[in-house]
PDB file of all heavy atoms in Angstrom:
ATOM      1  N   ASN A   1       4.341  -4.287   5.918  1.00  0.00           N
ATOM      2  CA  ASN A   1       5.441  -5.063   5.352  1.00  0.00           C
ATOM      3  C   ASN A   1       6.252  -4.213   4.372  1.00  0.00           C
ATOM      4  O   ASN A   1       7.480  -4.247   4.383  1.00  0.00           O
ATOM      5  CB  ASN A   1       4.913  -6.324   4.665  1.00  0.00           C
ATOM      6  CG  ASN A   1       4.311  -7.314   5.642  1.00  0.00           C
ATOM      7  OD1 ASN A   1       4.568  -7.277   6.837  1.00  0.00           O
ATOM      8  ND2 ASN A   1       3.480  -8.202   5.133  1.00  0.00           N
ATOM      9  N   ILE A   2       5.556  -3.442   3.536  1.00  0.00           N
ATOM     10  CA  ILE A   2       6.234  -2.535   2.602  1.00  0.00           C
ATOM     11  C   ILE A   2       7.080  -1.528   3.376  1.00  0.00           C
ATOM     12  O   ILE A   2       8.246  -1.291   3.048  1.00  0.00           O
ATOM     13  CB  ILE A   2       5.210  -1.818   1.701  1.00  0.00           C
ATOM     14  CG1 ILE A   2       4.613  -2.808   0.700  1.00  0.00           C
ATOM     15  CG2 ILE A   2       5.837  -0.621   0.980  1.00  0.00           C
ATOM     16  CD1 ILE A   2       3.391  -2.290  -0.050  1.00  0.00           C
ATOM     17  N   SER A   3       6.507  -0.935   4.408  1.00  0.00           N
ATOM     18  CA  SER A   3       7.212   0.056   5.224  1.00  0.00           C
ATOM     19  C   SER A   3       8.487  -0.535   5.823  1.00  0.00           C
ATOM     20  O   SER A   3       9.532   0.111   5.837  1.00  0.00           O
ATOM     21  CB  SER A   3       6.280   0.568   6.319  1.00  0.00           C
ATOM     22  OG  SER A   3       6.933   1.489   7.140  1.00  0.00           O
ATOM     23  N   ASN A   4       8.400  -1.764   6.313  1.00  0.00           N
ATOM     24  CA  ASN A   4       9.561  -2.407   6.929  1.00  0.00           C
ATOM     25  C   ASN A   4      10.661  -2.695   5.908  1.00  0.00           C
ATOM     26  O   ASN A   4      11.843  -2.579   6.222  1.00  0.00           O
ATOM     27  CB  ASN A   4       9.138  -3.682   7.651  1.00  0.00           C
ATOM     28  CG  ASN A   4       8.340  -3.382   8.902  1.00  0.00           C
ATOM     29  OD1 ASN A   4       8.483  -2.325   9.506  1.00  0.00           O
ATOM     30  ND2 ASN A   4       7.468  -4.297   9.283  1.00  0.00           N
ATOM     31  N   ILE A   5      10.285  -3.044   4.692  1.00  0.00           N
ATOM     32  CA  ILE A   5      11.280  -3.278   3.641  1.00  0.00           C
ATOM     33  C   ILE A   5      11.923  -1.954   3.240  1.00  0.00           C
ATOM     34  O   ILE A   5      13.143  -1.866   3.080  1.00  0.00           O
ATOM     35  CB  ILE A   5      10.638  -3.989   2.436  1.00  0.00           C
ATOM     36  CG1 ILE A   5      10.215  -5.409   2.839  1.00  0.00           C
ATOM     37  CG2 ILE A   5      11.607  -4.022   1.245  1.00  0.00           C
ATOM     38  CD1 ILE A   5       9.302  -6.099   1.855  1.00  0.00           C
ATOM     39  N   LEU A   6      11.114  -0.915   3.078  1.00  0.00           N
ATOM     40  CA  LEU A   6      11.650   0.403   2.734  1.00  0.00           C
ATOM     41  C   LEU A   6      12.634   0.892   3.793  1.00  0.00           C
ATOM     42  O   LEU A   6      13.654   1.511   3.472  1.00  0.00           O
ATOM     43  CB  LEU A   6      10.517   1.415   2.580  1.00  0.00           C
ATOM     44  CG  LEU A   6       9.632   1.252   1.354  1.00  0.00           C
ATOM     45  CD1 LEU A   6       8.442   2.192   1.437  1.00  0.00           C
ATOM     46  CD2 LEU A   6      10.424   1.490   0.071  1.00  0.00           C
ATOM     47  N   ALA A   7      12.333   0.618   5.057  1.00  0.00           N
ATOM     48  CA  ALA A   7      13.201   1.064   6.156  1.00  0.00           C
ATOM     49  C   ALA A   7      14.608   0.480   6.032  1.00  0.00           C
ATOM     50  O   ALA A   7      15.571   1.096   6.486  1.00  0.00           O
ATOM     51  CB  ALA A   7      12.579   0.686   7.497  1.00  0.00           C
ATOM     52  N   GLU A   8      14.726  -0.682   5.375  1.00  0.00           N
ATOM     53  CA  GLU A   8      16.045  -1.285   5.161  1.00  0.00           C
ATOM     54  C   GLU A   8      16.930  -0.413   4.274  1.00  0.00           C
ATOM     55  O   GLU A   8      18.141  -0.603   4.226  1.00  0.00           O
ATOM     56  CB  GLU A   8      15.898  -2.678   4.545  1.00  0.00           C
ATOM     57  CG  GLU A   8      15.379  -3.708   5.510  1.00  0.00           C
ATOM     58  CD  GLU A   8      16.305  -3.909   6.695  1.00  0.00           C
ATOM     59  OE1 GLU A   8      17.491  -4.236   6.487  1.00  0.00           O
ATOM     60  OE2 GLU A   8      15.851  -3.720   7.842  1.00  0.00           O
ATOM     61  N   ASN A   9      16.327   0.514   3.547  1.00  0.00           N
ATOM     62  CA  ASN A   9      17.098   1.418   2.696  1.00  0.00           C
ATOM     63  C   ASN A   9      16.918   2.872   3.130  1.00  0.00           C
ATOM     64  O   ASN A   9      17.114   3.795   2.345  1.00  0.00           O
ATOM     65  CB  ASN A   9      16.702   1.243   1.222  1.00  0.00           C
ATOM     66  CG  ASN A   9      17.780   1.695   0.273  1.00  0.00           C
ATOM     67  OD1 ASN A   9      18.946   1.337   0.428  1.00  0.00           O
ATOM     68  ND2 ASN A   9      17.421   2.503  -0.707  1.00  0.00           N
ATOM     69  N   GLY A  10      16.479   3.064   4.380  1.00  0.00           N
ATOM     70  CA  GLY A  10      16.357   4.410   4.923  1.00  0.00           C
ATOM     71  C   GLY A  10      15.183   5.194   4.377  1.00  0.00           C
ATOM     72  O   GLY A  10      15.205   6.424   4.419  1.00  0.00           O
ATOM     73  N   LEU A  11      14.175   4.517   3.871  1.00  0.00           N
ATOM     74  CA  LEU A  11      12.991   5.191   3.328  1.00  0.00           C
ATOM     75  C   LEU A  11      11.762   4.861   4.156  1.00  0.00           C
ATOM     76  O   LEU A  11      11.779   3.954   4.989  1.00  0.00           O
ATOM     77  CB  LEU A  11      12.760   4.757   1.876  1.00  0.00           C
ATOM     78  CG  LEU A  11      13.813   5.256   0.911  1.00  0.00           C
ATOM     79  CD1 LEU A  11      14.526   4.089   0.291  1.00  0.00           C
ATOM     80  CD2 LEU A  11      13.174   6.089  -0.145  1.00  0.00           C
ATOM     81  N   GLY A  12      10.684   5.601   3.884  1.00  0.00           N
ATOM     82  CA  GLY A  12       9.416   5.361   4.545  1.00  0.00           C
ATOM     83  C   GLY A  12       8.275   5.479   3.551  1.00  0.00           C
ATOM     84  O   GLY A  12       8.498   5.717   2.353  1.00  0.00           O
ATOM     85  N   LEU A  13       7.068   5.361   4.043  1.00  0.00           N
ATOM     86  CA  LEU A  13       5.900   5.440   3.169  1.00  0.00           C
ATOM     87  C   LEU A  13       5.802   6.784   2.463  1.00  0.00           C
ATOM     88  O   LEU A  13       5.263   6.873   1.361  1.00  0.00           O
ATOM     89  CB  LEU A  13       4.618   5.166   3.964  1.00  0.00           C
ATOM     90  CG  LEU A  13       4.476   3.745   4.516  1.00  0.00           C
ATOM     91  CD1 LEU A  13       3.188   3.619   5.324  1.00  0.00           C
ATOM     92  CD2 LEU A  13       4.528   2.707   3.406  1.00  0.00           C
ATOM     93  N   LYS A  14       6.363   7.832   3.060  1.00  0.00           N
ATOM     94  CA  LYS A  14       6.327   9.168   2.445  1.00  0.00           C
ATOM     95  C   LYS A  14       7.113   9.204   1.139  1.00  0.00           C
ATOM     96  O   LYS A  14       6.911  10.089   0.313  1.00  0.00           O
ATOM     97  CB  LYS A  14       6.867  10.216   3.416  1.00  0.00           C
ATOM     98  CG  LYS A  14       8.355  10.053   3.708  1.00  0.00           C
ATOM     99  CD  LYS A  14       8.862  11.020   4.731  1.00  0.00           C
ATOM    100  CE  LYS A  14      10.294  10.895   5.100  1.00  0.00           C
ATOM    101  NZ  LYS A  14      11.098   9.806   4.622  1.00  0.00           N
ATOM    102  N   ASP A  15       7.997   8.230   0.935  1.00  0.00           N
ATOM    103  CA  ASP A  15       8.829   8.172  -0.258  1.00  0.00           C
ATOM    104  C   ASP A  15       8.197   7.357  -1.392  1.00  0.00           C
ATOM    105  O   ASP A  15       8.736   7.305  -2.494  1.00  0.00           O
ATOM    106  CB  ASP A  15      10.195   7.575   0.086  1.00  0.00           C
ATOM    107  CG  ASP A  15      10.932   8.411   1.115  1.00  0.00           C
ATOM    108  OD1 ASP A  15      11.221   9.582   0.818  1.00  0.00           O
ATOM    109  OD2 ASP A  15      11.204   7.899   2.218  1.00  0.00           O
ATOM    110  N   VAL A  16       7.068   6.716  -1.120  1.00  0.00           N
ATOM    111  CA  VAL A  16       6.407   5.888  -2.130  1.00  0.00           C
ATOM    112  C   VAL A  16       5.739   6.789  -3.164  1.00  0.00           C
ATOM    113  O   VAL A  16       4.991   7.703  -2.811  1.00  0.00           O
ATOM    114  CB  VAL A  16       5.372   4.945  -1.479  1.00  0.00           C
ATOM    115  CG1 VAL A  16       4.573   4.186  -2.539  1.00  0.00           C
ATOM    116  CG2 VAL A  16       6.064   3.967  -0.531  1.00  0.00           C
ATOM    117  N   ILE A  17       6.019   6.505  -4.441  1.00  0.00           N
ATOM    118  CA  ILE A  17       5.416   7.305  -5.517  1.00  0.00           C
ATOM    119  C   ILE A  17       4.401   6.515  -6.337  1.00  0.00           C
ATOM    120  O   ILE A  17       3.596   7.099  -7.054  1.00  0.00           O
ATOM    121  CB  ILE A  17       6.480   7.915  -6.452  1.00  0.00           C
ATOM    122  CG1 ILE A  17       7.281   6.838  -7.160  1.00  0.00           C
ATOM    123  CG2 ILE A  17       7.389   8.868  -5.683  1.00  0.00           C
ATOM    124  CD1 ILE A  17       8.117   7.355  -8.317  1.00  0.00           C
ATOM    125  N   LYS A  18       4.414   5.163  -6.223  1.00  0.00           N
ATOM    126  CA  LYS A  18       3.488   4.346  -7.006  1.00  0.00           C
ATOM    127  C   LYS A  18       3.229   3.042  -6.291  1.00  0.00           C
ATOM    128  O   LYS A  18       4.164   2.426  -5.758  1.00  0.00           O
ATOM    129  CB  LYS A  18       4.095   4.057  -8.390  1.00  0.00           C
ATOM    130  CG  LYS A  18       3.361   3.023  -9.240  1.00  0.00           C
ATOM    131  CD  LYS A  18       2.063   3.566  -9.802  1.00  0.00           C
ATOM    132  CE  LYS A  18       1.447   2.689 -10.870  1.00  0.00           C
ATOM    133  NZ  LYS A  18       0.721   1.534 -10.365  1.00  0.00           N
ATOM    134  N   THR A  19       1.969   2.630  -6.254  1.00  0.00           N
ATOM    135  CA  THR A  19       1.612   1.317  -5.733  1.00  0.00           C
ATOM    136  C   THR A  19       0.717   0.604  -6.729  1.00  0.00           C
ATOM    137  O   THR A  19       0.047   1.233  -7.557  1.00  0.00           O
ATOM    138  CB  THR A  19       0.876   1.378  -4.373  1.00  0.00           C
ATOM    139  OG1 THR A  19      -0.366   2.061  -4.546  1.00  0.00           O
ATOM    140  CG2 THR A  19       1.713   2.056  -3.303  1.00  0.00           C
ATOM    141  N   THR A  20       0.712  -0.706  -6.628  1.00  0.00           N
ATOM    142  CA  THR A  20      -0.240  -1.539  -7.355  1.00  0.00           C
ATOM    143  C   THR A  20      -0.917  -2.418  -6.315  1.00  0.00           C
ATOM    144  O   THR A  20      -0.242  -3.073  -5.517  1.00  0.00           O
ATOM    145  CB  THR A  20       0.457  -2.404  -8.412  1.00  0.00           C
ATOM    146  OG1 THR A  20       1.155  -1.548  -9.319  1.00  0.00           O
ATOM    147  CG2 THR A  20      -0.547  -3.231  -9.197  1.00  0.00           C
ATOM    148  N   VAL A  21      -2.249  -2.393  -6.307  1.00  0.00           N
ATOM    149  CA  VAL A  21      -3.044  -3.162  -5.355  1.00  0.00           C
ATOM    150  C   VAL A  21      -3.770  -4.258  -6.137  1.00  0.00           C
ATOM    151  O   VAL A  21      -4.449  -3.970  -7.127  1.00  0.00           O
ATOM    152  CB  VAL A  21      -4.071  -2.265  -4.626  1.00  0.00           C
ATOM    153  CG1 VAL A  21      -4.917  -3.086  -3.662  1.00  0.00           C
ATOM    154  CG2 VAL A  21      -3.368  -1.126  -3.893  1.00  0.00           C
ATOM    155  N   LEU A  22      -3.624  -5.491  -5.680  1.00  0.00           N
ATOM    156  CA  LEU A  22      -4.324  -6.621  -6.281  1.00  0.00           C
ATOM    157  C   LEU A  22      -5.329  -7.148  -5.267  1.00  0.00           C
ATOM    158  O   LEU A  22      -4.974  -7.418  -4.111  1.00  0.00           O
ATOM    159  CB  LEU A  22      -3.327  -7.718  -6.651  1.00  0.00           C
ATOM    160  CG  LEU A  22      -2.160  -7.285  -7.537  1.00  0.00           C
ATOM    161  CD1 LEU A  22      -1.147  -8.408  -7.685  1.00  0.00           C
ATOM    162  CD2 LEU A  22      -2.648  -6.818  -8.884  1.00  0.00           C
ATOM    163  N   LEU A  23      -6.580  -7.269  -5.675  1.00  0.00           N
ATOM    164  CA  LEU A  23      -7.651  -7.761  -4.811  1.00  0.00           C
ATOM    165  C   LEU A  23      -8.313  -8.975  -5.461  1.00  0.00           C
ATOM    166  O   LEU A  23      -8.514  -8.978  -6.675  1.00  0.00           O
ATOM    167  CB  LEU A  23      -8.725  -6.687  -4.617  1.00  0.00           C
ATOM    168  CG  LEU A  23      -8.317  -5.407  -3.902  1.00  0.00           C
ATOM    169  CD1 LEU A  23      -9.411  -4.357  -4.027  1.00  0.00           C
ATOM    170  CD2 LEU A  23      -8.016  -5.707  -2.451  1.00  0.00           C
ATOM    171  N   THR A  24      -8.691  -9.950  -4.643  1.00  0.00           N
ATOM    172  CA  THR A  24      -9.428 -11.086  -5.197  1.00  0.00           C
ATOM    173  C   THR A  24     -10.912 -10.777  -5.325  1.00  0.00           C
ATOM    174  O   THR A  24     -11.639 -11.511  -5.977  1.00  0.00           O
ATOM    175  CB  THR A  24      -9.232 -12.360  -4.357  1.00  0.00           C
ATOM    176  OG1 THR A  24      -9.650 -12.114  -3.021  1.00  0.00           O
ATOM    177  CG2 THR A  24      -7.786 -12.826  -4.390  1.00  0.00           C
ATOM    178  N   ASP A  25     -11.363  -9.676  -4.723  1.00  0.00           N
ATOM    179  CA  ASP A  25     -12.761  -9.256  -4.841  1.00  0.00           C
ATOM    180  C   ASP A  25     -12.815  -7.732  -4.840  1.00  0.00           C
ATOM    181  O   ASP A  25     -12.556  -7.097  -3.814  1.00  0.00           O
ATOM    182  CB  ASP A  25     -13.574  -9.813  -3.676  1.00  0.00           C
ATOM    183  CG  ASP A  25     -15.069  -9.563  -3.808  1.00  0.00           C
ATOM    184  OD1 ASP A  25     -15.491  -8.772  -4.696  1.00  0.00           O
ATOM    185  OD2 ASP A  25     -15.825 -10.152  -3.022  1.00  0.00           O
ATOM    186  N   LEU A  26     -13.146  -7.156  -5.973  1.00  0.00           N
ATOM    187  CA  LEU A  26     -13.176  -5.700  -6.099  1.00  0.00           C
ATOM    188  C   LEU A  26     -14.239  -5.069  -5.193  1.00  0.00           C
ATOM    189  O   LEU A  26     -14.188  -3.869  -4.922  1.00  0.00           O
ATOM    190  CB  LEU A  26     -13.397  -5.296  -7.561  1.00  0.00           C
ATOM    191  CG  LEU A  26     -12.794  -3.964  -7.980  1.00  0.00           C
ATOM    192  CD1 LEU A  26     -11.350  -3.832  -7.584  1.00  0.00           C
ATOM    193  CD2 LEU A  26     -12.962  -3.749  -9.469  1.00  0.00           C
ATOM    194  N   ALA A  27     -15.149  -5.863  -4.654  1.00  0.00           N
ATOM    195  CA  ALA A  27     -16.130  -5.359  -3.687  1.00  0.00           C
ATOM    196  C   ALA A  27     -15.430  -4.883  -2.408  1.00  0.00           C
ATOM    197  O   ALA A  27     -16.006  -4.121  -1.638  1.00  0.00           O
ATOM    198  CB  ALA A  27     -17.174  -6.435  -3.365  1.00  0.00           C
ATOM    199  N   ASP A  28     -14.185  -5.313  -2.192  1.00  0.00           N
ATOM    200  CA  ASP A  28     -13.416  -4.890  -1.020  1.00  0.00           C
ATOM    201  C   ASP A  28     -12.730  -3.543  -1.226  1.00  0.00           C
ATOM    202  O   ASP A  28     -12.077  -3.024  -0.314  1.00  0.00           O
ATOM    203  CB  ASP A  28     -12.338  -5.938  -0.682  1.00  0.00           C
ATOM    204  CG  ASP A  28     -12.921  -7.230  -0.160  1.00  0.00           C
ATOM    205  OD1 ASP A  28     -13.993  -7.186   0.480  1.00  0.00           O
ATOM    206  OD2 ASP A  28     -12.301  -8.286  -0.382  1.00  0.00           O
ATOM    207  N   PHE A  29     -12.889  -2.951  -2.408  1.00  0.00           N
ATOM    208  CA  PHE A  29     -12.178  -1.715  -2.753  1.00  0.00           C
ATOM    209  C   PHE A  29     -12.408  -0.608  -1.729  1.00  0.00           C
ATOM    210  O   PHE A  29     -11.463   0.035  -1.291  1.00  0.00           O
ATOM    211  CB  PHE A  29     -12.588  -1.232  -4.148  1.00  0.00           C
ATOM    212  CG  PHE A  29     -11.896   0.033  -4.565  1.00  0.00           C
ATOM    213  CD1 PHE A  29     -10.622  -0.004  -5.099  1.00  0.00           C
ATOM    214  CD2 PHE A  29     -12.510   1.268  -4.398  1.00  0.00           C
ATOM    215  CE1 PHE A  29      -9.966   1.167  -5.480  1.00  0.00           C
ATOM    216  CE2 PHE A  29     -11.867   2.437  -4.768  1.00  0.00           C
ATOM    217  CZ  PHE A  29     -10.592   2.384  -5.318  1.00  0.00           C
ATOM    218  N   ASP A  30     -13.654  -0.353  -1.333  1.00  0.00           N
ATOM    219  CA  ASP A  30     -13.941   0.754  -0.412  1.00  0.00           C
ATOM    220  C   ASP A  30     -13.260   0.568   0.940  1.00  0.00           C
ATOM    221  O   ASP A  30     -12.677   1.515   1.481  1.00  0.00           O
ATOM    222  CB  ASP A  30     -15.447   0.939  -0.225  1.00  0.00           C
ATOM    223  CG  ASP A  30     -16.135   1.512  -1.451  1.00  0.00           C
ATOM    224  OD1 ASP A  30     -15.441   2.108  -2.314  1.00  0.00           O
ATOM    225  OD2 ASP A  30     -17.367   1.358  -1.562  1.00  0.00           O
ATOM    226  N   ALA A  31     -13.308  -0.637   1.483  1.00  0.00           N
ATOM    227  CA  ALA A  31     -12.672  -0.891   2.791  1.00  0.00           C
ATOM    228  C   ALA A  31     -11.161  -0.746   2.690  1.00  0.00           C
ATOM    229  O   ALA A  31     -10.522  -0.155   3.576  1.00  0.00           O
ATOM    230  CB  ALA A  31     -13.038  -2.289   3.285  1.00  0.00           C
ATOM    231  N   VAL A  32     -10.586  -1.252   1.614  1.00  0.00           N
ATOM    232  CA  VAL A  32      -9.139  -1.138   1.416  1.00  0.00           C
ATOM    233  C   VAL A  32      -8.760   0.324   1.202  1.00  0.00           C
ATOM    234  O   VAL A  32      -7.790   0.818   1.775  1.00  0.00           O
ATOM    235  CB  VAL A  32      -8.681  -2.010   0.231  1.00  0.00           C
ATOM    236  CG1 VAL A  32      -7.244  -1.703  -0.163  1.00  0.00           C
ATOM    237  CG2 VAL A  32      -8.848  -3.484   0.570  1.00  0.00           C
ATOM    238  N   ASN A  33      -9.534   1.021   0.387  1.00  0.00           N
ATOM    239  CA  ASN A  33      -9.267   2.417   0.083  1.00  0.00           C
ATOM    240  C   ASN A  33      -9.263   3.270   1.350  1.00  0.00           C
ATOM    241  O   ASN A  33      -8.403   4.139   1.532  1.00  0.00           O
ATOM    242  CB  ASN A  33     -10.309   2.932  -0.903  1.00  0.00           C
ATOM    243  CG  ASN A  33      -9.851   4.146  -1.641  1.00  0.00           C
ATOM    244  OD1 ASN A  33      -8.730   4.210  -2.115  1.00  0.00           O
ATOM    245  ND2 ASN A  33     -10.740   5.119  -1.746  1.00  0.00           N
ATOM    246  N   LYS A  34     -10.206   3.004   2.247  1.00  0.00           N
ATOM    247  CA  LYS A  34     -10.297   3.764   3.498  1.00  0.00           C
ATOM    248  C   LYS A  34      -9.038   3.563   4.345  1.00  0.00           C
ATOM    249  O   LYS A  34      -8.414   4.527   4.808  1.00  0.00           O
ATOM    250  CB  LYS A  34     -11.534   3.360   4.284  1.00  0.00           C
ATOM    251  CG  LYS A  34     -11.743   4.157   5.566  1.00  0.00           C
ATOM    252  CD  LYS A  34     -13.059   3.766   6.226  1.00  0.00           C
ATOM    253  CE  LYS A  34     -13.407   4.635   7.412  1.00  0.00           C
ATOM    254  NZ  LYS A  34     -12.468   4.590   8.504  1.00  0.00           N
ATOM    255  N   ARG A  35      -8.638   2.309   4.542  1.00  0.00           N
ATOM    256  CA  ARG A  35      -7.454   2.033   5.365  1.00  0.00           C
ATOM    257  C   ARG A  35      -6.189   2.560   4.678  1.00  0.00           C
ATOM    258  O   ARG A  35      -5.318   3.134   5.316  1.00  0.00           O
ATOM    259  CB  ARG A  35      -7.336   0.529   5.638  1.00  0.00           C
ATOM    260  CG  ARG A  35      -6.220   0.123   6.569  1.00  0.00           C
ATOM    261  CD  ARG A  35      -6.372   0.666   8.008  1.00  0.00           C
ATOM    262  NE  ARG A  35      -7.615   0.284   8.627  1.00  0.00           N
ATOM    263  CZ  ARG A  35      -7.821  -0.821   9.336  1.00  0.00           C
ATOM    264  NH1 ARG A  35      -6.834  -1.671   9.538  1.00  0.00           N
ATOM    265  NH2 ARG A  35      -9.005  -1.072   9.843  1.00  0.00           N
ATOM    266  N   TYR A  36      -6.095   2.384   3.380  1.00  0.00           N
ATOM    267  CA  TYR A  36      -4.954   2.883   2.593  1.00  0.00           C
ATOM    268  C   TYR A  36      -4.807   4.389   2.809  1.00  0.00           C
ATOM    269  O   TYR A  36      -3.716   4.884   3.036  1.00  0.00           O
ATOM    270  CB  TYR A  36      -5.221   2.552   1.126  1.00  0.00           C
ATOM    271  CG  TYR A  36      -4.167   2.934   0.129  1.00  0.00           C
ATOM    272  CD1 TYR A  36      -3.289   1.975  -0.367  1.00  0.00           C
ATOM    273  CD2 TYR A  36      -4.072   4.226  -0.371  1.00  0.00           C
ATOM    274  CE1 TYR A  36      -2.334   2.312  -1.328  1.00  0.00           C
ATOM    275  CE2 TYR A  36      -3.123   4.565  -1.317  1.00  0.00           C
ATOM    276  CZ  TYR A  36      -2.251   3.605  -1.792  1.00  0.00           C
ATOM    277  OH  TYR A  36      -1.318   3.940  -2.736  1.00  0.00           O
TER     278      TYR A  36
END
């Protein structure tokens, strides 16, 4: 979803310099981190 919004301004994930990730269970951190 982020990538698709960035594409509206001619950007891609390579242009991202900062993210904030919110999780309802920090036990999911490893699985999210791997896919990220």
Side-chain angles (χ1 to χ4, degrees):
N1 293 341
I2 289 168
S3 178
N4 289 334
I5 293 167
L6 289 172
E8 288 298 303
N9 203 48
L11 291 118
L13 294 178
K14 67 184 178 353
D15 299 298
V16 174
I17 62 167
K18 170 73 168 79
T19 63
T20 302
V21 179
L22 306 173
L23 296 169
T24 58
D25 187 349
L26 209 50
D28 291 329
F29 180 82
D30 289 341
V32 169
N33 201 45
K34 183 175 187 298
R35 185 64 57 89
Y36 182 101

